């Protein structure tokens, strides 16, 4: 288990380094595909997600000037609405990892809740806004 975590951390460190460089949209498309494959494993029943990512990356390449370099922030901005989660009925309590926003988690009991990428000020602001909801 520790070896797998160490391998993931090495891959993640490599991805962060590679994604810090500016490149053209076509180069971003290839690099993002590569990094997603290096960091994830898509089960056969969810391969549609990989197909959707490939489609959106291709659209980004087609719509962009091939001579202009883009930063990661610019690529993220171009893709965020296209790749964002869509509200669906959550399938909680399956014994697997559930990734979701905090709102549907209010009434579902969980033994462990992990918040990634949220600083304490954001968490406290979110918590206070949830407390005022009906």
């Amino acid at each position: 288990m520790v070896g797998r975590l160490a391998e993931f951390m090495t891959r993640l460190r490599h991805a962060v380094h590679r994604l810090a460089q500016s490149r053209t949209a076509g180069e971003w498309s290839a690099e993002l595909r590569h990094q997603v494959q290096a960091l994830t494993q898509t089960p056969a029943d969810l391969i549609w997600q990989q197909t959707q990512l490939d489609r959106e990356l291709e659209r980004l390449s087609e719509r962009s000037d091939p001579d202009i370099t883009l930063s990661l922030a610019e690529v993220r901005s171009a893709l965020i609405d296209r790749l964002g989660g869509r509200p669906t009925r959550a399938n909680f309590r399956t014994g697997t990892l559930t990734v979701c926003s905090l709102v549907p988690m209010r009434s579902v009991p969980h033994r462990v809740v992990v918040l990634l990428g949220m600083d304490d000020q954001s968490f406290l602001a979110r918590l206070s806004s949830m407390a005022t909801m009906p």
Side-chain angles (χ1 to χ4, degrees):
M1 182 68 100
V2 173
R4 292 177 69 188
L5 178 61
E7 178 185 350
F8 175 73
M9 295 303 294
T10 299
R11 289 182 185 199
L12 186 59
R13 189 176 312 114
H14 176 73
V16 167
H17 173 73
R18 295 281 303 166
L19 298 176
Q21 303 166 14
S22 294
R23 47 181 53 99
T24 66
E27 293 167 337
W28 271 115
S29 181
E31 185 65 32
L32 288 171
R33 278 188 187 103
H34 173 73
Q35 295 305 331
V36 166
Q37 289 174 353
L39 294 171
T40 63
Q41 183 177 14
T42 308
D45 63 328
L46 298 177
I47 201 71
W48 62 268
Q49 294 177 347
Q50 186 75 39
T51 305
Q52 180 183 358
L53 174 65
D54 290 342
R55 188 178 314 120
E56 294 304 330
L57 291 174
E58 190 62 35
R59 284 184 187 150
L60 176 68
S61 295
E62 291 171 355
R63 291 184 297 194
S64 301
D65 184 333
D67 298 325
I68 295 176
T69 59
L70 304 168
S71 69
L72 177 60
E74 292 166 326
V75 171
R76 181 181 183 276
S77 178
L79 293 174
I80 192 121
D81 291 334
R82 306 291 302 178
L83 296 177
R86 292 175 180 66
T88 61
R89 296 191 62 161
N91 194 12
F92 296 119
R93 310 294 285 184
T94 61
T96 61
L97 177 67
T98 301
V99 178
C100 65
S101 66
L102 289 176
V103 175
M105 303 301 287
R106 292 187 326 217
S107 62
V108 180
H110 292 280
R111 291 187 342 202
V112 177
V113 175
V114 179
L115 301 174
L116 299 176
M118 183 179 281
D119 60 38
D120 59 342
Q121 293 300 319
S122 298
F123 174 72
L124 292 173
R126 182 72 175 166
L127 192 59
S128 79
S129 72
M130 287 174 57
T132 61
M133 292 179 152

